[in-house]
Structure formats: C-alpha cells, structure tokens
Amino acid sequence: MLRISLIIALVAGIAALVISQMKVADKIHGLETKLTETEQQLQTSKAAESKAKKDAKDATAAADQAKKQLETTKTELAAASEKADQQEKRANDLAAQKDRLTQERNDAQTELAKWRASGLTLEQITATILENKKLTVENNGLKEENKVLGRQLTQTRAELDLLTGRIDKVPLPPGLKGKIIAVDPKYEFVVLDIGESQGVLKRGEMLINRSGRLVAKVRILSVEPNRCVANILPDWKQGEPMEGDVAIVGL
C-alpha cells in the first residue's frame, strides 16, 4: 500500500513538473516573441528618428536658404527702390526744366510779337535794347552817385549845425552798432567795422561796450564805405578798448 502511494505521488510530481515545464516554455516563447517585436519596434523607431533628424536638417538648410534669398530680395528691392526714386527725381527735374524752357520760349515769342507789332526792323530793335541796357547802367550809376551825394549832404549839414551851435554833436542812426576790428593804443584810436553804408558820419560819437560795461567813448575821425576810424576820448576812458568790443550809439 505504501509502495502504491509512493508511485502515485511520484507520477503526480512528474505530471506537475511536465505541466510546469510546458507553462515555462510558453512564457519563454511569449517573451521571445515580445522581444522580437520590441526589437522591430526599436529599429522602426530608430529609422523614424533618423528620418526625423534628416528632415529637420533639410528643413534647417531650406530655412537658411530661404533667409538668404529673402535678404538678397530685400537688397535688390532697396536698390530698385533707390533707382526708382532717382529716376523719378530725374523725371521731375526734366519736367520742371521742360516747363521752364516752355515758359521762356512763350515769353520770348510774346516779346518778339510785341517788337514785331511795333513795326521796327531787327537793327532798330537791337539798337533799342542796347540803348535800354546803357540807360539802365547809367541810371544805376546815378542812383549810387545820389546815395554818395546824399551822405555827403547829411555830413555837411551835420558839421554846419555843429559849427553854428545848433547841435553839440553829430547825430548817428539810433540803431547803429559795430565792433572794433583794430586798436592802436599808442595813438589812441580804433577801427570799427561800420562806415558810410551803415550811416556813419564824421565827428559822430559812439560808446565802447564790453559785456554790458562801458569801456570808453570814441569820436569818428574818418569814414569809408564799410569801416571808420575813431579817436578815443580821454575823459571817457574807463579801460583799454580791445578787438571785439561793441560800439553803440549813446544817448
């Protein structure tokens, strides 16, 4: 009986071992299959990763190329715009020149029509034009001469009034203003940058000012068109006049 029991137990153990080995074999097969699938997936993933990297590299290269092309296009566009602006300016200048020439032509034709209507010959017209130019030059000369004579008359009247006691000093234009451009301390005179053209008269008196402070008083000795020489009055001297000091008309 004991022997039968042992045999039964041994058979049951063997059966259990066989069943266990079959289960382990199934698990090993399953693991091997899963391992194969995982390896395939890994290879597929690596291939996809490589492709993605290549695509990204290609995309970066394309982006760089597009950027370069964009910069080139911008440069070409700026150059074209500048050239267009230059051409437009040239066109405007040419149009303005055309308008000016057209106006000059019309004026010349109008003037010519006036001369033709006068019944004068070409020689007479030329002589008249030359005579007009001559008269214009003479008229301008007379105007300048009149200005000089007018200044001389004003000077003479002022000196006469001074000598007769009507005035105690020669009047100068109220707003007259100048600067010292030279100083002679030995002979006590200065040179101012104003003259007849600005209304300066001989024996007129001006105050020398520096930074709002009175330096001296001067009396005009001689006058030229755009400068004059003035003596420094000792009684009014409060300092040494210098180049750049301002000369103004006193009260």
Side-chain angles (χ1 to χ4, degrees):
M1 190 69 178
L2 178 61
R3 186 173 182 180
I4 293 172
S5 297
L6 291 173
I7 292 172
I8 293 172
L10 179 60
V11 171
I14 292 171
L17 179 62
V18 170
I19 292 172
S20 176
Q21 288 293 327
M22 291 177 64
K23 289 182 179 180
V24 170
D26 290 340
K27 286 184 179 179
I28 290 174
H29 179 71
L31 290 174
E32 288 178 346
T33 303
K34 190 173 183 180
L35 178 61
T36 301
E37 292 176 352
T38 302
E39 288 178 347
Q40 291 176 349
Q41 291 176 353
L42 179 60
Q43 290 177 354
T44 303
S45 176
K46 286 183 178 180
E49 181 182 1
S50 299
K51 184 177 184 302
K53 287 182 178 180
K54 182 178 181 300
D55 291 344
K57 184 177 180 181
D58 293 342
T60 301
D64 291 340
Q65 182 65 25
K67 185 177 180 181
K68 290 180 180 178
Q69 290 178 350
L70 178 60
E71 294 297 330
T72 302
T73 303
K74 286 182 177 179
T75 302
E76 291 175 350
L77 180 61
S81 178
E82 183 179 0
K83 186 176 181 180
D85 291 341
Q86 292 175 352
Q87 290 177 343
E88 182 179 3
K89 181 178 181 302
R90 183 182 178 187
N92 292 335
D93 292 342
L94 290 174
Q97 184 178 4
K98 177 184 176 183
D99 292 341
R100 179 176 58 81
L101 292 175
T102 301
Q103 185 61 44
E104 290 178 355
R105 183 199 62 187
N106 293 339
D107 293 343
Q109 289 177 345
T110 302
E111 192 67 22
L112 180 60
K114 290 180 180 179
W115 283 110
R116 285 176 176 173
S118 67
L120 298 175
T121 63
L122 179 60
E123 290 76 12
Q124 291 173 328
I125 293 173
T126 304
T128 302
I129 293 175
L130 292 176
E131 183 64 22
N132 285 338
K133 289 183 178 179
K134 180 180 177 182
L135 291 175
T136 301
V137 171
E138 291 178 354
N139 186 43
N140 291 337
L142 289 174
K143 287 181 180 179
E144 290 300 322
E145 186 176 347
N146 286 338
K147 288 181 181 180
V148 174
L149 291 174
R151 288 194 291 262
Q152 291 177 353
L153 179 60
T154 301
Q155 179 71 58
T156 302
R157 284 177 177 173
E159 292 180 356
L160 181 60
D161 290 342
L162 186 63
L163 291 173
T164 57
R166 294 178 185 174
I167 57 176
D168 57 356
K169 62 180 179 180
V170 174
L172 297 175
L176 185 63
K177 185 177 181 181
K179 285 186 178 181
I180 295 178
I181 56 176
V183 180
D184 189 325
K186 180 178 180 180
Y187 293 103
E188 294 286 308
F189 72 82
V190 298
V191 180
L192 304 177
D193 63 352
I194 49 177
E196 288 180 353
S197 299
Q198 291 77 36
V200 177
L201 298 174
K202 287 190 293 184
R203 300 189 64 79
E205 296 180 356
M206 301 188 75
L207 301 177
I208 304 301
N209 182 291
R210 184 188 308 143
S211 301
R213 183 175 63 86
L214 179 64
V215 177
K217 189 175 186 179
V218 297
R219 180 178 293 129
I220 308 301
L221 176 65
S222 63
V223 183
E224 296 181 14
N226 291 297
R227 69 175 184 174
C228 64
V229 177
N231 288 330
I232 301 172
L233 301 179
D235 295 341
W236 284 78
K237 188 175 181 181
Q238 299 185 20
E240 293 296 334
M242 299 171 56
E243 291 184 19
D245 287 349
V246 178
I248 59 175
V249 177
L251 299 177

